[in-house]
Amino acid sequence: MNSPEPVRAELATFLALVVFMVISLSLGVIANLVGRTKTGFLKSYFLGNRSLGAFAVALTAAVMSGGTFMGYPSLVYKFGWVVGLWICSYMVVPVTVLGVLGKRIGQLARRTGAITLPDFFRERFESPMLGLITSILVIFFLTANLVAQFKAGALILKLTLPQSVQRAVGSDTDGGSAIDRMAKVAEAAADEPTEKKAETKTTAAKPAAPADPTANTWRDRTYVLGLVIFAVTVIFYTAYGGFLAAIWTDVFQSLVMAVGVMILFPLALTAAGSISAGTAAGIAQTGDSSFAFGPGAGRAFHPVGLAVSFFVMWAISAMGQPSTLVRLMAFRDTRTLRWSIIYLTLYNLVIYIPLIFIFICARQILPNLTRSDEVMPRLVITLANPYIAGLILAAPFGAVMSTVSGWLLIISSGIVRDLYQRFVRPQASEKEIQRASYAGTVLVGVFVGLLALNPPEYLQLVVVFSSSGMAASFLAPAAYGAFWRRANGLGMIAAMVTGAGVTLALYAVGMVWARSGYDSGIGAGGSLAPVYLLGLDPCVWGIGSSFLAGAVVSLMTKPPRTELVERMFEKDRPLHLHA
Amino acid sequence: MPQSNPPPDDVDPVYLNSLKDARFGMTFWAIATTFVCGSAWLTGYQRSGHTLTTDDIRPILGIPYWFFLSVLVPWVACSVICVVYAGLIMSDDDLGTDHTEELEQEIREGTDVHELA
């Protein structure tokens, strides 16, 4: 069905994407001008000169991604009210993610002079090996994720490019009706591997589509065109604008999403008649009263063990993500930190709860969708003005861009600071470091773009487990570094390796079992489902084992130097780092 | 001994305040997790011997009773607590001097050297 509304919404979405890209490029230029300082290029370029304000910290440290914005509604539509329980640990996220480690990480980053995560661990524990392992893990995890992000960005552009452009490059996506193509845009955004693997689980549940081996590879010219446009845009504004450009783009897309939810809520409520009507429709359509209860309609989507796990996943593991820790090193002062907690609390409250109501109502407005992934674009197009719909649907694309730019910088900072400056050219001048930083960001972007032309199959495994893997690797060292005097470098190396290893093992075994046809019956299922040992998510086991290994190995090995401990835990004093 | 506690006068007040924030945050998380998951399991989960039907929805403003009690009310309560804690209780601290330049200089001079691990 090619009704005029979807066609207009499709055009509007394309225009909105163009607007997003133009705004992002402009933000890159402005950020470059604002970020120019007479001293400390690296601190300015990779950390925004430690001057992040409350709004920026709140809306970028722990707020929804494009995947959340698209994947979460799909889950609500499919499984019902229990998905509210799935997400509701966001009620404590502001205090855990920003409050538990925030002040201390901010202080230690200043005290050690660290501007990257490997810098931080290396200086805090006086362990170059720990810094090197951190660099390798960060580069490994984030590069794999970036490939998938580039692919999602390219796919969104491929699907929204006007037909005339597609014909001009000699191909046509021909994805069916306009609304079907819009749904694929949403799917591409939801496929974006956020730092929260739960969204990836959503996609894992999808039935495998008949695969065209040339689709979305270098042989697919429209895909390549989308990839080039996406890569050039994001690499340029990131390389030129640095950390501030990434942050500002993130803030912009978060605000657009918030406005979108606020517009949709009254429209959905009015169209459905009431929330109860949505619940009743959901029960009737699924034939399962569990649409109104746990563990969810159709299958045990969210048993209580997973409910507990997700309180760990969202509220605890987010503390250990590199992107979060870097932001905690970059906020201006503690007043900023306090206000960012307040802003984030209010943001979560007015976004996530209305989203539940909206997509329960969607059961009444759009009954019996065969693919729940389509619910967001279909509802937006049904309820909103086409140009507002376009902007709302383009917001996840902005989320992909901002996520890419943030990760690009983390990787290039790791290469420039932790490898090039530390090991190759310690005497490099400020100008040389500046050139290396620009070049590093561009080269990483180009390398990832090339990988995205035909991503290796094993990357999917890395992407799926990387969120839990990163939390299991970095949370324990960050927490021990902040609060435990006895923690040492060897203990933290053990914590990192054990956490990543346990998480990877649970995913790898789960995938092997899934390939042999085994389904535990819990979670969203699919071929990428991990082992839920004792009904708990791997993140619980990964983080738990990481803390245990860190404590045991620290206690079994030599204590840290007295001078180091004093410097980290006593009042600030003049720097005599390595007496 | 590095692990022994130094005299109170030397202990960094930012560290102490951060420890207080961390204790609060983790306790807050533990209570929220226990209450939300516990009450949801007791009032809103299908389980053997506890089959729920449409009569058990008992909607409040269209929202199932269990969801209202176990998710909505705690979410609003936690939001109030977060705002009060961050706005009124959490202290402002001086994060100290930023030693970025010194570290930069040490790297250039090759004095930023530690044992391997």
Side-chain angles (χ1 to χ4, degrees), chain A residues 353-409:
Chain A
I353 290 177
L355 272 175
I356 301 166
F357 300 152
I358 291 168
F359 289 94
I360 290 291
C361 289
R363 275 285 179 182
Q364 173 75 358
I365 303 163
L366 299 168
N368 291 316
L369 287 180
T370 49
R371 297 192 53 182
S372 60
D373 295 323
E374 297 177 0
V375 68
M376 164 63 100
R378 282 189 186 274
L379 193 75
V380 169
I381 290 166
T382 303
L383 295 178
N385 168 290
Y387 289 93
I388 291 175
L391 199 62
I392 294 172
L393 291 174
F397 178 73
V400 174
M401 287 177 65
S402 61
T403 306
V404 164
S405 56
W407 288 355
L408 263 182
L409 283 171

Side-chain angles (χ1 to χ4, degrees), chain A residues 248-265:
Chain A
W248 289 349
T249 320
D250 217 355
V251 169
F252 176 64
Q253 61 87 8
S254 297
L255 289 176
V256 171
M257 285 188 196
V259 171
V261 170
M262 284 170 199
I263 291 171
L264 275 184
F265 183 40

